[in-house]
Amino acid sequence: MANETEEQDLKDDKEPDQSRRNFLKNTGYAVGGLIVGGVVGSLLRTPKKPTTNTGNTAVNKPPAAETVNFNQALMYFTQEQFLITEAATERLFPADDNGPGAKEIGVAYYIDHQLAGEWGTNGKEYMQGPFFKGETTQGYQGRLKRREIFDIGLQEMQNYSNKKFQKKFKDLTPEQQDTVLKAFETDEVKLTTISASGFFKTLFGSTLEGVYADPLYGGNGNMAGWKLKNFPGNQMSYTKIIEQDKFEKMPPVSLREHLPHG
Amino acid sequence: MATKLPKTDVVIVGVGWGGGIIASELTKNGLSVVGLERGKERKTEDYYMVHDELRYALRYEMFQDLSKETITFRGNEKIKALPMRSYGSFLLGDGLGGSGVHWNGQTFRFLPYDFEIKSKTVERYGKSKIPDGMVIQDWGITYDQLEPYFNKFEKTAGISGEENPLGGKRSEKYPTPPMKITPGMKLFSESCKGLSYHPYHMPSANLSEQYTNPDGIARAACQYCGYCERFGCEYGAKADPVVTVIPVAINTGKFELRTHSNVRRILHKGGKATGVMYIDTTTGEEYEQPADIVVMTSYVFNNVRLLLMSDIGKPYDPKTGTGVIGKNYAYQVLKGAGIGFYEDKEFNIFAGAGSLGMCIDDFNGDNFDHKDLKFIHGANISYSQTGARPIQNNTVPPGTPTWGKDYKAASVKYANRHLNVGAQGSCMPFQHHYLDLDPNYKDEFGDPLMRITFDFEDQDRELVKYMGAKCGEILKQMGADKVVANTELAPYEITTYQSTHNTGGVIMGDSPDTSAVNNYLQMWDAENLFVIGASAFPHNSGYNPTGTVGALAYRAAEGILKYHKKPGSLV
């Protein structure tokens, strides 16, 4: 609720954020306006330092960009698994004229962190037996969890690289790496434990997640993924541009901006 | 041994749109209501970090935990049904407000044709128009009878819209004006007019302007932030049960909401419900909640499953087509669609709202001649701008490599250079599409899972062929440089998202032989038991279901009040 204390907070703000003020005014949350639930009330309490809500380039400084990124360590992968993943995802989403690729964006860290958590253990999925091989229309029916599938899939990529090119996957030329990935994508690699194409699909899907998910998850470093697509990230309101014909480029904002820091 | 609690006037099972509407209407009229909700409480403050595509859209933050309970699926009776182990085709709601929290807000009224589909089809085309196995039936109610309840739901939710030129008659205008118009919507609208179609604004629960509803509930306007479907609204702008009907019920002092309360059985004796048995999922303790009236308001699958597990009503037998519980399961037929790629034009499609769009009904219901077509009914065709979030929107022209340098370049280039036009196809019931209890797989309590037996039919394939072509035609008119129209429909599969518009199983009608509930959604076989939701639909129309679910819930509330005054018979 926009109670008196919050209104006071707003008045006390030494560096009023114009975009936030405009937003409040436009949406009828300003003092004397309609009193509605808690999120907006919370917004009134957020930090004094500038936070972006609209396309105001002056306030788009990525916070603490130059400090050490403590997030770049491993929660699940071995170093070998990490290096294979890093090399593979860079081929799936390579650096080019448009901008950085998966490696620079931090996709392998993202995948590592995801495998360490609920997604890696299929925590919210039905994993009870009995297990039967179903029709493709019935979806995944295996008993292995995602992190087990990655363990096997990455090892098989290494095996295939060693067999075909006598080198580890990370040491192959980009073209050779593509050959390996293609062999997995098309099930040319015959595996008995997991589906090679199923593993490839998960690897590719999680690569896109690592490129485009909020940077809080360890990928999309510096919001580079969003910048590629001119995606503005977490904006509070688009009422001003929703009817506009001209394409609106605005610097992206991440969820970090929603909390006070420092 | 279950702890027996004091009796209440009414107990409701599941507190989403259905439960919220019933609770608010009954408590306003002085009845004491206990609401049992298996999930947690939800409030607007929960959505402070809601603009998180990964967490909400891909990790299913708001949905039922499938490790505890899922459904099983098979395409036909010859194969073994297997569990839906992870999400795909549809997303099951969980928690206060249910699916009503994470919806887009597209709030249509079904067409007059829908409610009398069998009579009207036979009248215009003859009996032979209905193919073998298709079991359409009239709903036991007409559009005109239901109109006041549509109106009531639209006022509660504050629906923003303009009159559908090809829809049923309205007694009043929409309570709020239409949403804003984006360049893509303008293109769609002008192109449709050029083709002599009848475009109108998609009716929206996102709220075009600040609004106070008849219950005195005030909500702010939509900000077009682009996070609706799969997300909760951090402004409370999108109408959902938590910001509309539930607080009304709570403010009466007559509504007791119990979250983390999972109902496992409807209790009954001598043809009447006596209450429910539920588990407090935080302690594992069992409770019996006795009540004069029991109202089932959970999602389609749990309405059906609870009735079957509780031995209420005659289970449906697909061999003979007799019995009613589990009958007429239907879905939505969505593959008729087109994509238009633009080389020199970028659209602000990262912005949007769940129900921001333009649509036509020229090819919906029986608004067009089906004489020479191999299907009945049709689809609402629309362009909608719901927010192109970057993980799930990677639209590239056909022929683009599936990964690597060229894929990246194309997915980046077309990120804001494409528009989609889609047809929301209706889905007709067939004798061999149904719901029953799975013989092999169990939930966390050891109760059987719901089993779905369903596939697409020739009717659906013909519909997609026709609608896909129409979508393509509109996109060409919209000036796209390259148009890709999908006109093919593969067998139904459970792994890719299509729609959370599952319907049927406890259908309404005018006879206990062919339906489970009457047109107040009162069970024929248990007069003090009402079953609310899209489970009551004898077929699914070419629209989103929530508008019609809301209308039926208001109608049911009226029936419950009548029954409460004069118990002992059907309303």
Side-chain angles (χ1 to χ4, degrees), chain B residues 256-538:
Chain B
E256 188 189 338
L257 171 67
R258 293 184 206 142
T259 54
H260 302 99
S261 301
N262 198 334
V263 175
R264 290 182 58 199
R265 294 292 183 278
I266 308 299
L267 307 171
H268 57 102
K269 202 173 167 184
K272 282 176 79 170
T274 56
V276 301
M277 187 277 276
Y278 71 94
I279 285 195
D280 176 342
T281 59
T282 62
T283 61
E285 280 174 70
E286 282 189 4
Y287 292 94
E288 184 185 333
Q289 177 60 65
D292 288 331
I293 298 170
V294 175
V295 189
M296 299 175 67
T297 47
S298 58
Y299 196 62
V300 169
F301 298 119
N302 270 339
N303 279 353
V304 177
R305 194 167 85 110
L306 268 176
L307 286 172
L308 289 174
M309 292 196 305
S310 307
D311 280 324
I312 300 175
K314 193 175 171 210
Y316 177 66
D317 178 357
K319 284 182 191 69
T320 58
T322 57
V324 288
I325 309 300
K327 173 182 152 126
N328 284 33
Y329 174 73
Y331 192 49
Q332 202 86 69
V333 181
L334 288 146
K335 295 287 161 94
I339 310 165
F341 294 92
Y342 294 79
E343 292 301 319
D344 305 314
K345 172 88 188 135
E346 280 191 276
F347 300 90
N348 292 315
I349 51 176
F350 51 80
S355 186
L356 176 65
M358 300 293 299
C359 56
I360 56 166
D361 281 324
D362 295 80
F363 304 102
N364 204 355
D366 205 29
N367 289 346
F368 59 119
D369 188 4
H370 290 71
K371 189 161 60 70
D372 299 323
L373 300 173
K374 292 182 193 135
F375 63 94
I376 62 164
H377 213 304
N380 175 269
I381 293 177
S382 67
Y383 164 73
S384 63
Q385 187 169 330
T386 58
R389 298 174 293 271
I391 304 173
Q392 293 199 297
N393 289 279
N394 287 286
T395 305
V396 294
T400 306
T402 49
W403 51 272
K405 191 172 186 293
D406 294 341
Y407 171 83
K408 179 187 174 188
S411 64
V412 165
K413 175 180 173 185
Y414 291 106
N416 303 304
R417 286 187 173 90
H418 73 276
L419 299 175
N420 298 307
V421 170
Q424 172 142 257
S426 56
C427 184
M428 298 303 112
F430 284 79
Q431 187 171 331
H432 53 287
H433 298 171
Y434 66 104
L435 303 172
D436 67 350
L437 296 176
D438 190 275
N440 300 311
Y441 292 94
K442 311 278 185 220
D443 70 7
E444 61 173 330
F445 305 117
D447 284 332
L449 299 182
M450 183 95 283
R451 175 169 69 177
I452 302 173
T453 305
F454 176 80
D455 203 351
F456 291 129
E457 304 290 336
D458 285 340
Q459 147 84 21
D460 307 312
R461 285 180 280 275
E462 291 290 331
L463 186 147
V464 164
K465 199 157 98 186
Y466 187 86
M467 297 301 163
K470 294 289 174 203
C471 293
E473 175 191 29
I474 293 168
L475 277 161
K476 276 196 192 103
Q477 190 84 3
M478 287 167 72
D481 294 301
K482 185 180 176 68
V483 172
V484 183
N486 184 59
T487 54
E488 277 175 33
L489 182 66
Y492 174 69
E493 53 95 14
I494 200 102
T495 66
T496 46
Y497 187 76
Q498 293 156 63
S499 164
T500 306
H501 301 166
N502 315 78
T503 64
V506 197
I507 67 172
M508 62 191 291
D510 56 13
S511 156
D513 296 333
T514 54
S515 60
V517 293
N518 67 17
N519 67 22
Y520 284 97
L521 308 192
Q522 180 181 27
M523 286 275 303
W524 294 112
D525 289 350
E527 62 178 45
N528 65 340
L529 179 58
F530 292 76
V531 189
I532 318 296
S535 53
F537 294 4

Side-chain angles (χ1 to χ4, degrees), chain B residues 23-347:
Chain B
S24 68
E25 290 305 294
L26 302 192
T27 53
K28 278 194 277 182
N29 283 279
L31 276 65
S32 292
V33 177
V34 169
L36 301 173
E37 166 55 48
R38 67 182 178 170
K40 64 178 180 182
E41 197 170 350
R42 291 193 194 287
K43 48 197 185 309
T44 301
E45 289 88 330
D46 295 347
Y47 311 125
Y48 191 63
M49 287 277 167
V50 80
H51 291 173
D52 186 338
E53 186 188 11
L54 184 74
R55 174 178 170 190
Y56 286 87
L58 286 103
R59 297 291 182 263
Y60 310 115
E61 173 74 17
M62 311 205 70
F63 306 117
Q64 174 180 314
D65 182 344
L66 296 182
S67 73
K68 295 178 177 169
E69 184 192 327
T70 184
I71 53 90
T72 69
F73 158 71
R74 57 182 179 173
N76 62 65
E77 287 177 273
K78 292 192 195 85
I79 59 177
K80 186 194 284 286
L82 295 176
M84 177 174 79
R85 296 193 178 277
S86 50
Y87 277 116
S89 175
F90 47 82
L91 301 169
L92 303 166
D94 188 50
L96 195 61
S99 311
V101 174
H102 58 73
W103 69 317
N104 262 331
Q106 303 174 3
T107 316
F108 293 93
R109 297 176 170 199
F110 282 9
L111 295 163
Y113 168 71
D114 280 306
F115 302 100
E116 299 166 89
I117 188 168
K118 187 169 183 190
S119 312
K120 292 196 173 200
T121 302
V122 170
E123 187 188 314
R124 185 165 174 187
Y125 305 105
K127 263 190 184 154
S128 61
K129 188 72 187 170
I130 303 169
D132 280 350
M134 186 192 281
V135 288
I136 48 170
Q137 60 188 64
D138 293 351
W139 289 38
I141 197 165
T142 63
Y143 172 84
D144 289 341
Q145 282 175 289
L146 204 51
E147 203 283 334
Y149 308 99
F150 275 119
N151 206 38
K152 193 155 188 193
F153 180 62
E154 287 165 0
K155 280 184 169 173
T156 299
I159 303 303
S160 307
E162 62 181 343
E163 182 156 354
N164 172 4
L166 300 175
K169 264 204 195 85
R170 302 181 58 86
S171 57
E172 284 183 82
K173 283 181 12 179
Y174 280 104
T176 54
M179 303 284 281
K180 291 179 190 283
I181 300 183
T182 70
M185 287 162 70
K186 203 186 275 174
L187 266 180
F188 177 89
S189 184
E190 282 164 6
S191 302
C192 284
K193 280 182 196 152
L195 292 162
S196 303
Y197 304 152
H198 300 80
Y200 66 102
H201 271 270
M202 187 175 269
S204 171
N206 306 147
L207 213 48
S208 60
E209 64 182 25
Q210 200 170 299
Y211 174 70
T212 303
N213 79 7
D215 290 318
I217 297 280
R219 286 157 44 224
C222 175
Q223 296 301 306
Y224 303 89
C225 77
Y227 292 82
C228 254
E229 188 176 35
R230 304 190 181 196
F231 304 85
C233 181
E234 79 267 43
Y235 299 105
K238 177 170 72 176
D240 81 32
V242 179
V243 298
T244 55
V245 286
I246 294 170
V248 172
I250 288 173
N251 287 341
T252 62
K254 307 285 280 181
F255 183 52
E256 188 189 338
L257 171 67
R258 293 184 206 142
T259 54
H260 302 99
S261 301
N262 198 334
V263 175
R264 290 182 58 199
R265 294 292 183 278
I266 308 299
L267 307 171
H268 57 102
K269 202 173 167 184
K272 282 176 79 170
T274 56
V276 301
M277 187 277 276
Y278 71 94
I279 285 195
D280 176 342
T281 59
T282 62
T283 61
E285 280 174 70
E286 282 189 4
Y287 292 94
E288 184 185 333
Q289 177 60 65
D292 288 331
I293 298 170
V294 175
V295 189
M296 299 175 67
T297 47
S298 58
Y299 196 62
V300 169
F301 298 119
N302 270 339
N303 279 353
V304 177
R305 194 167 85 110
L306 268 176
L307 286 172
L308 289 174
M309 292 196 305
S310 307
D311 280 324
I312 300 175
K314 193 175 171 210
Y316 177 66
D317 178 357
K319 284 182 191 69
T320 58
T322 57
V324 288
I325 309 300
K327 173 182 152 126
N328 284 33
Y329 174 73
Y331 192 49
Q332 202 86 69
V333 181
L334 288 146
K335 295 287 161 94
I339 310 165
F341 294 92
Y342 294 79
E343 292 301 319
D344 305 314
K345 172 88 188 135
E346 280 191 276
F347 300 90

Side-chain angles (χ1 to χ4, degrees), chain A residues 42-58:
Chain A
S42 307
L43 277 177
L44 291 172
R45 279 196 298 271
T46 42
K48 307 267 194 276
K49 68 178 169 188
T51 8
T52 21
N53 285 313
T54 62
N56 183 349
T57 46

